Amino acid sequence: MSKGRVSVSTTAGSPLPMGVSRTPGGYNFAIAARHATAVSLVLFRSGQDEPVAEVEFDPRLNRTGDVWHLLVRDFDPALRYGYRLQGPCDLKGSGHCYRPQLIMLDPYAKALTGGSDWGVAYRRSGGLDPLASFQRRCIYVENDFDWEGDRPPNIPLKDTIIYELHPRGYTCHSSSGVKYPGTYRGLIAKIPYLKKLGITAVELMPVAEFNELENTRVNPLTGEPLKNFWGYSPLAFFAPKAAYAVNGRNGNQVREFKELVKALHTAGIEVILDVVFNHTAEGGADGPTISLRGIDNTIYYLLDPDTREYLNFSGCGNTVNCNHPWVRDLIMDCLRYWVTEMHVDGFRFDLASILGRGPRGEVLADPPMVEKIAEDPVLAHTKIIAEAWDAAGLYQVGSFSPHPRWAEWNGRFRDDLRRFLCGHPDCVGPLATRIAGSSDLYGHNDRRPFNSINFITSHDGFTLYDLVSYSRKHNEANGEENRDGDNHNISWNSGVEGETDDLEIAALRRRRIRTAAVILLLSQGVPMITAGDEFARSQQGNNNAYCQDNEISWVDWELEKRNADLVRFFRLLIALRKENPIFRRAGFFKADAGDGRPEISWQSLVPGRQDWSPEARCLAFRLHGGDGPDFLVLLNAAPSPRRFLLPDPLPGCRWRLLVNTAAAAPADIVPVAKAKVVSGSRLEVADYGAVVLICRQG
């Protein structure tokens, strides 16, 4: 039955697939809501607040089990839709939260309408709802994009070099020089730069729909409203962010996202999405009811069995009940959609340890959700990367899953490398373990060095430049009195806090950046670079820039020109890694390479003499190349230069200098063909410096 200004012809429909789908007989709508007593499909015209039709589901005809379904024969796909659900609302009793005065988003919606203009509060004609920016509408999107034969690059994980970037912040600065700044198309314009740099995959911070206006704070320094810039607050898991499109209306954002993926694939670059399944934008009990809460609150979220309060392992007010069968299906359907219809190549799972929690928040020994992702046949060639911790203190780096399909952000690599760069005690032994692929974490259950995603920085925390320029966070602009963000940064300002005109300190900072890059890119495992680190991007000491939609977060492309020598350093270092398989091995090092030599050998200042003491600040390692050349890497985290005695080269070969992070460009790194012979048996390495040698004939 229907009411309103549009006549709707309906029939029973089918419980599968979930969401809206086009069939020969019309458009099928299906939504699961076990505890709802009544469900209606509500239809709207574009921009209008009042519905043009509302169709009630007959539970005898339009319900199979817990799924409500309806086929609309003459549905106009230009209409917007949502669901009205009725049922009990007793958050402190039954835990249900049905609010029939509100229209719920379809959890399977492939696109949302409204919110197509970044930072502009969305209002519909005739609507006064202050939550309108949250309460968007759903729209059907036809899957008719011409992929022109696009296929995934399927780059082996061991050969991958990841580049993490923000889809808006990467190009919205006036210096970016792109025609459509802050958009998917703006990112397409930067593909030549990415290709020249040499990375193999971009990891996009969240592109699933979120409300950037949900932040109610202001910058106390400027009075400007703050935003949810990062987007770790999903409204709809399947729907790409409309405001990242040039024309994000009528579902066109789906097309523009696909154009981005196709263009990156054409350049040989894979696309990894940062996905957030651990919580939603609905937040705690005082948050907006927009979808899952108003559809089946007790199924989709973890609730305290006694108080019915939301369990908060995400730090964002709610925690998704990931191991409930309904939620497992929702997540798997979403991942398959992004792979099959959007052609993405992998996922980084935000706060992935929540995927392993049970209905009371307990840590499961064998979480079905984690295994299901790893074993899904559709995702068999998809990269799956866990942020192996959550906001409640659960830390599972190295133990997130025994399944060899799962890679992890290696927080231990980040911390041990930072400690070495700061000259902390007892740092040499742990760093050697990280350089060799973290066998203590991944040397069992058939896992490999490439299960470790190595990184020094990410979106969360200091940039690489700030890591060597600030000893403490400076988050005053976030409006939380500098209480937010991590206090444990393992950083050192190199002598002066923040910007300085001191040339010696500036030189030390650049040397430490280059040394960090050497360790990151020549270690076993998969390196991840944060966008802009290759040209010393700063966030002015802000280590939690989630709310800063301004020059704190935007990539300043003037730095690419100003620090072209540093970009060159990263580019040639990436090329060195890609040209030499010894830096991206498939297995851990062996004591015997088959010729009586170990595959890797360690020393301090003298060959054969290792110093793993807490006081040690120097480390060198030799990679025995087998069919390729040997490499020698010398690292000095002491506050003064150190002289290393070089091991003997192979017969007929000589050591040649490839990298010296203390040298001025272009001598800081040279192509292999231009590497000069090292004279003498000793080599000085500057304080906080690194040297890389190659053993070649002649």
Side-chain angles (χ1 to χ4, degrees):
M1 109 182 126
S2 66
K3 64 180 180 178
R5 298 189 299 273
V6 171
S7 176
V8 179
S9 173
T10 68
T11 187
S14 170
L16 292 174
M18 302 295 288
V20 57
S21 54
R22 182 166 59 87
T23 75
Y27 290 79
N28 192 76
F29 294 80
I31 183 171
R34 174 178 297 169
H35 298 101
T37 57
V39 177
S40 299
L41 174 67
V42 189
L43 304 178
F44 303 85
R45 294 197 191 279
S46 176
Q48 299 299 308
D49 193 60
E50 290 298 315
V52 295
E54 183 163 344
V55 186
E56 294 182 13
F57 290 67
D58 182 340
R60 295 169 299 174
L61 180 67
N62 303 117
R63 184 172 184 176
T64 302
D66 294 330
V67 180
W68 303 73
H69 48 82
L70 181 79
L71 184 75
V72 182
R73 293 192 181 96
D74 50 355
F75 177 70
D76 178 359
L79 292 174
R80 285 69 169 117
Y81 76 96
Y83 292 100
R84 191 189 308 277
L85 297 96
Q86 299 186 47
C89 187
D90 183 11
L91 278 173
K92 294 185 178 180
S94 65
H96 300 310
C97 187
Y98 290 101
R99 293 177 174 170
Q101 71 273 26
L102 302 177
I103 306 301
M104 297 297 101
L105 296 175
D106 180 358
Y108 280 78
K110 306 306 189 295
L112 301 186
T113 63
S116 56
D117 297 315
W118 174 271
V120 177
Y122 181 64
R123 293 291 184 270
R124 302 183 187 93
S125 175
L128 299 174
D129 190 344
L131 294 178
S133 288
F134 279 108
Q135 292 165 348
R136 310 266 291 277
R137 304 269 166 74
C138 310
I139 186 171
Y140 173 78
V141 179
E142 190 65 60
N143 183 24
D144 58 355
F145 182 75
D146 185 1
W147 283 101
E148 298 182 293
D150 174 78
R151 299 299 301 160
N154 279 332
I155 298 168
L157 187 56
K158 72 178 183 65
D159 299 330
T160 297
I161 301 170
I162 299 172
Y163 188 82
E164 186 200 35
L165 63 84
H166 189 285
R168 170 174 165 80
Y170 198 59
T171 64
C172 65
H173 195 279
S174 59
S175 63
S176 69
V178 303
K179 185 176 181 181
Y180 301 109
T183 67
Y184 302 128
R185 289 183 181 171
L187 183 50
I188 289 174
K190 289 298 182 183
I191 289 177
Y193 170 82
L194 296 171
K195 189 171 178 63
K196 184 177 181 181
L197 184 62
I199 57 95
T200 71
V202 293
E203 183 172 302
L204 302 179
M205 290 173 65
V207 300
E209 277 287 5
F210 62 94
N211 177 16
E212 67 272 17
L213 297 174
E214 70 179 9
N215 194 330
T216 58
R217 292 190 177 90
V218 298
N219 184 334
L221 307 179
T222 66
E224 292 294 318
L226 298 172
K227 295 186 178 69
N228 173 7
F229 181 67
W230 285 355
Y232 290 90
S233 189
L235 295 171
F237 297 132
F238 292 73
K241 178 81 174 152
Y244 289 163
V246 176
N247 172 17
R249 295 169 177 79
N250 300 316
N252 192 62
Q253 60 266 36
V254 176
R255 179 175 300 278
E256 290 195 28
F257 181 82
K258 290 178 177 180
E259 289 171 351
L260 169 62
V261 175
K262 185 166 73 170
L264 285 163
H265 283 181
T266 299
I269 298 173
E270 294 187 316
V271 179
I272 298 171
L273 296 189
D274 197 337
V275 290
V276 183
F277 293 117
N278 59 81
H279 73 281
T280 75
E282 292 182 304
D286 58 347
T289 298
I290 51 182
S291 185
L292 302 181
R293 174 182 288 149
I295 295 172
D296 226 315
N297 190 52
T298 62
I299 284 180
Y300 283 109
Y301 292 115
L302 297 181
L303 305 179
D304 185 286
D306 298 319
T307 67
R308 310 304 277 174
E309 292 181 353
Y310 289 96
L311 299 179
N312 186 13
F313 298 105
S314 68
C316 298
N318 64 45
T319 306
V320 173
N321 188 9
C322 295
N323 280 290
H324 189 283
W326 283 23
V327 184
R328 293 204 305 266
D329 286 346
L330 174 65
I331 292 174
M332 292 310 304
D333 288 344
C334 183
L335 296 175
R336 292 172 187 141
Y337 171 78
W338 284 103
V339 168
T340 58
E341 292 200 26
M342 307 295 261
H343 285 209
V344 305
D345 306 283
F347 304 96
R348 177 263 188 189
F349 293 81
D350 180 64
L351 299 183
S353 289
I354 287 174
L355 297 175
R357 289 190 181 270
R360 292 172 297 280
E362 73 277 19
V363 180
L364 301 175
D366 297 298
M369 184 76 262
V370 173
E371 182 184 37
K372 194 171 184 66
I373 293 170
E375 285 291 344
D376 187 74
V378 175
L379 307 181
H381 294 157
T382 301
K383 294 171 174 64
I384 53 173
I385 302 168
E387 183 185 35
W389 53 83
D390 66 19
L394 180 58
Y395 191 78
Q396 297 179 305
V397 171
S399 61
F400 173 74
S401 171
H403 201 293
R405 286 271 288 116
W406 277 102
E408 299 174 3
W409 268 23
N410 189 345
R412 295 276 297 277
F413 182 98
R414 173 199 60 203
D415 294 348
D416 289 339
L417 191 155
R418 289 186 178 194
R419 290 173 60 240
F420 181 80
L421 287 174
C422 293
H424 286 191
D426 199 20
C427 60
V428 168
L431 179 66
T433 303
R434 304 300 149 234
I435 288 171
S438 296
S439 60
D440 60 329
L441 303 175
Y442 307 108
H444 50 281
N445 294 320
D446 198 32
R447 293 183 295 175
R448 310 292 180 88
F450 52 76
N451 287 102
S452 172
I453 306 298
N454 298 334
F455 67 108
I456 312 167
T457 65
S458 66
H459 67 275
D460 190 1
F462 282 147
T463 66
L464 185 52
Y465 177 81
D466 287 357
L467 197 67
V468 301
S469 304
Y470 294 90
S471 293
R472 60 186 185 275
K473 66 184 183 183
H474 295 267
N475 297 357
E476 291 81 5
N478 293 357
E480 300 181 50
E481 299 180 339
N482 208 35
R483 294 189 304 266
D484 64 301
D486 200 335
N487 293 316
H488 185 60
N489 294 294
I490 321 179
S491 65
W492 172 46
N493 62 22
S494 306
V496 173
E497 188 75 358
E499 294 304 315
T500 179
D501 294 328
D502 189 307
L503 296 180
E504 288 189 10
I505 290 177
L508 174 58
R509 288 175 176 175
R510 294 176 73 85
R511 180 159 71 250
R512 293 177 65 206
I513 287 173
R514 289 192 291 258
T515 298
V518 166
I519 300 173
L520 174 66
L521 286 161
L522 300 188
S523 290
Q524 303 303 316
V526 178
M528 184 183 80
I529 301 166
T530 304
D533 274 355
E534 74 275 17
F535 44 76
R537 185 179 78 87
S538 174
Q539 291 182 167
Q540 304 169 30
N542 192 318
N543 77 347
N544 188 33
Y546 75 99
C547 56
Q548 299 295 333
D549 180 31
N550 50 50
E551 293 193 356
I552 290 176
S553 295
W554 300 343
V555 173
D556 181 355
W557 286 90
E558 287 297 323
L559 293 172
E560 186 228 346
K561 302 171 186 175
R562 194 182 313 158
N563 297 322
D565 59 328
L566 193 56
V567 178
R568 172 185 175 273
F569 186 87
F570 271 81
R571 179 170 54 81
L572 292 182
L573 201 54
I574 289 170
L576 181 67
R577 177 183 180 87
K578 294 170 78 171
E579 292 163 3
N580 293 276
I582 198 168
F583 297 121
R584 41 192 175 83
R585 294 163 46 93
F588 292 101
F589 290 109
K590 299 177 182 177
D592 188 343
D595 57 2
R597 301 190 303 158
E599 292 184 328
I600 187 171
S601 55
W602 306 92
Q603 70 168 75
S604 185
L605 297 177
V606 177
R609 298 184 189 174
Q610 303 163 353
D611 185 358
W612 308 120
S613 70
E615 298 77 23
R617 298 292 183 273
C618 296
L619 177 66
F621 60 96
R622 179 175 184 168
L623 298 174
H624 299 281
D627 295 334
D630 281 14
F631 288 89
L632 181 66
V633 180
L634 314 174
L635 305 171
N636 175 25
S640 59
R642 293 290 187 267
R643 292 181 64 81
F644 287 76
L645 179 63
L646 304 182
D648 293 333
L650 293 173
C653 296
R654 303 172 74 180
W655 289 115
R656 294 174 179 268
L657 181 62
L658 283 177
V659 177
N660 181 0
T661 62
D668 54 348
I669 184 168
V670 298
V672 170
K674 295 184 178 180
K676 295 181 179 179
V677 173
V678 175
S679 60
S681 59
R682 293 184 182 273
L683 193 61
E684 183 174 277
V685 179
D687 49 308
Y688 304 101
V691 166
V692 180
L693 307 176
I694 185 172
C695 189
R696 297 188 69 201
Q697 291 185 341

